[in-house]
Amino acid sequence: MRNAIALTALLSPAVLLGMSVPALAADNGIYIGGSVGQANVEVDNIPELSSEDFKGDDTGYKFIVGIRPLDWLAVEANYVDFGSPKDTVAGTQVKASGDGITASVLGFLPIGPVDLFARAGLISWDTDLEGRPSTDGTDLAYGVGAQFRVWSISVRAEYEKFDVDDLDDLSMFSIGATFTFL
């Protein structure tokens, strides 16, 4: 009971401060930014190499350009680089690489200075897995995230999934920032 009272006493000022920050939240408008994180690539049963699976991850990054005309809606384009994940397949070191351009619509749920968001859109991608021909295409991209906004700066964390036909899993968890200007 004493711990609950102490926790309430510690958190109450933080909650009150959080409720007063919306006045500092960024205006809607055009924004730019970037993120860095962990990209994951999985390919099951690679017949050109063996019947084994490729599962690798590496540092990925993305550049962000968007416009948020309404508190609950944004349109965003990203350049995404999935890094160069490596894995050992049939005793051989295999490296993958991939990148793409995404176009997404984001729906926001503003809660004070914090925005929860979901995204849905398309990715035009290019992938290369050693031992296989390079491939490209356009497929579905979607994700969820949260961001904290103060003035014109937002710090965000998000998880994105890319339904690339040739891969069994392509996803990325990233942390980044955006800057909004009018």
Side-chain angles (χ1 to χ4, degrees):
M1 180 69 170
R2 189 189 314 179
N3 289 341
I5 293 170
L7 184 60
T8 302
L10 288 173
L11 291 179
S12 295
V15 169
L16 291 174
L17 177 62
M19 291 172 59
S20 67
V21 172
L24 303 175
D27 293 330
N28 296 342
I30 297 171
Y31 58 92
I32 59 172
S35 292
V36 66
Q38 177 113 16
N40 181 51
V41 177
E42 293 182 15
V43 182
D44 294 340
N45 191 10
I46 306 169
E48 295 90 348
L49 301 175
S50 77
S51 61
E52 292 185 31
D53 301 341
F54 175 93
K55 293 182 183 183
D57 50 45
D58 195 21
T59 301
Y61 63 90
K62 70 179 184 173
F63 297 110
I64 303 165
V65 176
I67 183 167
R68 186 172 176 175
L70 304 170
D71 287 344
W72 58 272
L73 178 72
V75 177
E76 197 171 280
N78 301 308
Y79 168 76
V80 184
D81 187 302
F82 299 105
S84 298
K86 297 175 186 151
D87 191 18
T88 302
V89 178
T92 304
Q93 179 89 7
V94 177
K95 183 170 95 171
S97 63
D99 63 355
I101 305 246
T102 66
S104 304
V105 174
L106 283 72
F108 289 94
L109 176 62
I111 304 171
V114 175
D115 293 327
L116 303 178
F117 63 89
R119 76 168 54 240
L122 297 173
I123 181 169
S124 177
W125 53 268
D126 239 348
T127 63
D128 185 31
L129 182 65
E130 286 179 348
R132 294 177 81 178
S134 295
T135 56
D136 58 24
T138 302
D139 287 299
L140 185 62
Y142 51 92
V144 294
Q147 67 181 13
F148 179 76
R149 300 188 306 158
V150 175
W151 295 296
S152 294
I153 302 203
S154 298
V155 176
R156 65 165 58 175
E158 67 183 306
Y159 175 77
E160 295 172 277
K161 185 97 165 136
F162 307 92
D163 279 342
V164 172
D165 286 338
D166 291 357
L167 306 176
D168 294 298
D169 182 42
L170 180 58
S171 59
M172 188 161 95
F173 174 78
S174 63
I175 296 175
T178 61
F179 176 76
T180 303
F181 54 95
L182 298 176

